[in-house]
Amino acid sequence: HWATAVQYLRLASPVWVVVAFGFVLINNVSKTLRWRLLFPPEQMPPRGYAFGAMMSGQLLNFALPLRSGDLTRAYFTGRYRGASTATAVAGPPGR
């Protein structure tokens, strides 16, 4: 019920809403940086690309079943690296 959600958001302290969004952003940025470390330095995607892939994957995880966002993130990252989706899911060889 959107009306109820809006009613509660109006009651919330704007300071705490901003603080909460700040922590969510910090969490997502740190997950992106951690995920980039799985790649060898010469194949590491840029921060902006990795963050976009991470956020797209999370959006799809909310909307679709079976963690399909994670597979989508692997697909786009594989395309960026010029590798297959299976390679992107498996990670670099020897790790």
Side-chain angles (χ1 to χ4, degrees):
H1 299 175
W2 288 104
T4 305
V6 169
Q7 178 184 4
Y8 280 111
L9 278 175
R10 286 186 180 145
L11 295 174
S13 168
V15 172
W16 289 112
V17 171
V18 169
V19 168
F21 278 116
F23 279 115
V24 169
L25 180 62
I26 289 169
N27 180 45
N28 287 325
V29 167
S30 64
K31 284 197 296 190
T32 300
L33 296 175
R34 180 189 66 196
W35 178 59
R36 286 181 71 236
L37 292 175
L38 296 175
F39 296 94
E42 66 276 0
Q43 293 182 336
M44 190 177 292
R47 287 182 198 99
Y49 186 90
F51 185 75
M54 180 72 71
M55 294 301 95
S56 299
Q58 284 193 353
L59 178 65
L60 288 173
N61 279 340
F62 286 128
L64 300 173
L66 303 176
R67 306 288 293 178
S68 55
D70 295 336
L71 294 176
T72 304
R73 181 180 69 198
Y75 169 76
F76 284 120
T77 304
R79 282 185 52 196
Y80 173 81
R81 291 175 53 204
S84 69
T85 302
T87 302
V89 169
R95 281 196 173 182

